[in-house]
Amino acid sequence: MEKMINSAYTPPLDLIRRPRRNRQSAAIRDLVRENRVHAADLIQPIFVKDGSGAPEPVGSMPGIERVGLKQLLAEVTQLATLGIRAVALFPSIDPALKDARGKYAVSEKNWFFGVIRKLKAEVPDILVVADVALDPYTTHGHDGVLDSAGDVANDETVHILTHYATQLAAAGTDIVAPSDMMDGRIGAIRDELDREGFTQTSILAYAVKFASAYYGPFRDAVGSSKGKGVPTLDKRTYQLDPANLREALLEARLDEDQGADILMVKPAGLYLDVISAVKAGTLLPVAAYQVSGEYAQIHAAAKAGWLDLEKARDESLLAIKRAGGDIILTYFARDVARSLIKAG
Ligand code: PBG
């Protein structure tokens, strides 16, 4: 015979543990929350262009623009009032100034150094992070110079990058961030910085940077992509294979041994396992870069009405924190800082 279900009375289960007790109100959820994202954890990446013309929107990144000096100063000043402590600057270089060797990078005339100088003079408390790689300056969009076989020449590239890093430091950059994935560049840059007297300039190493499809919108923004939107550049001889965790840990260890101050994993959202493994293997702060494609993806789905923008954004950042990211580079930094203030 079938058992009758009497919905009028259900005797309580004999449970010692009822995890839902800790979730029953906003107050207790706040009390037991294990991870939080603070404005001070976030670094806002900003695309900078020469001159003071009107800002240019980046099509694949809603809300993101390439800005000239005047707007940059205004934006950074505002970020500081929101509690953001650092910005990562990426120059968008006029194609007429690019060549196969990216020579403009280390030219005394490079306008980017002047922008950093003025920014540090105007908003000294904000930390300036500057990428160290040649891709904004090369016609082919690779992060270094090419050898006769068309591959990126490691040691020659490192040599150029050490000069570029020193010039960035001289302009007032607080943190240089080598993003090129050449072998030995952290040690070479540390040596050169120290030799030139920049012992207090930090190195944020893009220690674990995967050859990812998610850099497409960024390459639009700095103009390092040939095809619009879709990354046509193949950087697999220097960026990591997305399949490899052990190799990622090896890269992290090498950069730590060579003197990196902070280790970064990039992209972030698809590599949470890597973030947590890197975190477990180091005592250095760990950063994670929520890249342009991660940002674009959330925006696109929200625009279609398929995801709630703010909830998806906040969840994506919280996941990175939970995985072990102490510092997060995210294009959402300003919006998040604003909504944290609003929430009180
Ligand atoms: C270039 C660089 C890239 C990013 C940061 N620095 C792109 C690339 O390697 O092609 C990507 C950032 C993003 O997608 O938001 N060295």
Side-chain angles (χ1 to χ4, degrees):
M1 211 179 106
E2 249 178 65
K3 224 172 142 191
M4 293 285 286
I5 294 171
N6 178 359
S7 57
Y9 175 70
T10 314
L13 297 174
D14 182 19
L15 294 181
I16 289 177
R17 294 272 160 230
R18 285 183 180 272
R20 287 187 57 191
R21 277 198 288 265
N22 281 346
R23 293 179 221 137
Q24 62 186 305
S25 66
I28 198 149
R29 289 194 295 273
D30 276 355
L31 205 61
V32 302
R33 184 156 303 122
E34 297 173 35
N35 292 283
R36 285 186 169 80
V37 173
H38 304 281
D41 306 327
L42 306 177
I43 300 181
Q44 174 78 54
I46 303 178
F47 301 113
V48 189
K49 60 172 190 162
D50 191 16
S52 46
E56 302 160 4
V58 178
S60 44
M61 302 180 71
I64 301 294
E65 301 172 320
R66 281 179 287 262
V67 298
L69 177 63
K70 218 175 116 201
Q71 171 118 3
L72 175 71
L73 295 176
E75 202 165 301
V76 174
T77 305
Q78 189 210 18
L79 287 168
T81 67
L82 296 173
I84 301 275
R85 313 308 309 264
V87 293
L89 304 183
F90 297 93
S92 169
I93 302 292
D94 183 340
L97 296 172
K98 299 186 185 188
D99 61 31
R101 300 185 55 81
K103 282 203 288 292
Y104 188 70
V106 290
S107 157
E108 301 270 293
K109 287 191 236 142
N110 187 346
W111 57 261
F112 187 46
F113 302 136
V115 165
I116 294 170
R117 230 171 242 121
K118 293 192 188 104
L119 177 56
K120 282 307 292 186
E122 197 90 5
V123 203
D125 289 344
I126 274 265
L127 296 169
V128 169
V129 181
D131 224 50
V132 179
L134 294 181
D135 57 305
Y137 301 98
T138 54
T139 37
H140 42 71
H142 278 293
D143 290 18
V145 296
L146 305 182
D147 62 19
S148 53
D151 191 15
V152 174
N154 192 85
D155 299 15
E156 204 184 339
T157 296
V158 169
H159 186 67
I160 299 169
L161 293 178
T162 60
H163 291 306
Y164 184 48
T166 309
Q167 281 161 294
L168 289 168
T173 302
D174 300 282
I175 303 176
V176 293
S179 67
D180 53 293
M181 290 300 282
M182 295 303 121
D183 294 334
R185 88 272 203 229
I186 300 301
I189 289 170
R190 185 72 271 160
D191 275 357
E192 182 77 5
L193 286 173
D194 290 353
R195 209 175 12 247
E196 295 291 325
F198 300 109
T199 54
Q200 288 304 100
T201 305
S202 303
I203 300 180
L204 163 60
Y206 283 72
V208 180
K209 179 175 179 180
F210 290 95
S212 171
Y214 285 72
Y215 307 149
F218 173 95
R219 291 177 189 171
D220 266 358
V222 300
S224 66
S225 173
K226 286 179 194 141
K228 269 245 165 257
V230 181
T232 53
L233 271 170
D234 185 352
K235 298 192 175 186
R236 286 177 299 177
T237 71
Y238 43 106
Q239 298 177 352
L240 280 162
D241 184 338
N244 294 358
L245 173 62
R246 283 159 47 83
E247 192 181 359
L249 296 178
L250 173 64
E251 284 283 6
R253 184 191 297 170
L254 290 172
D255 283 5
E256 173 160 5
D257 290 349
Q258 289 171 41
D261 297 285
I262 302 170
L263 299 176
M264 183 148 74
V265 175
K266 172 187 174 184
L270 295 168
Y271 297 89
L272 298 178
D273 57 328
V274 182
I275 295 171
S276 76
V278 167
K279 184 70 173 276
T282 186
L283 294 175
L284 291 178
V286 173
Y289 196 149
Q290 183 181 55
V291 300
S292 57
E294 298 178 76
Y295 176 84
Q297 210 173 31
I298 292 173
H299 265 288
K303 195 169 159 213
W306 297 336
L307 286 180
D308 179 285
L309 178 68
E310 296 192 4
K311 290 206 174 90
R313 172 195 77 194
D314 293 350
E315 188 175 333
S316 71
L317 295 171
L318 192 58
I320 296 166
K321 273 249 114 166
R322 193 190 60 238
D326 302 299
I327 301 164
I328 307 175
L329 276 85
T330 172
Y331 299 94
F332 287 121
R334 185 194 13 183
D335 298 347
V336 171
R338 256 205 216 111
S339 78
L340 286 171
I341 288 174
K342 223 165 61 195

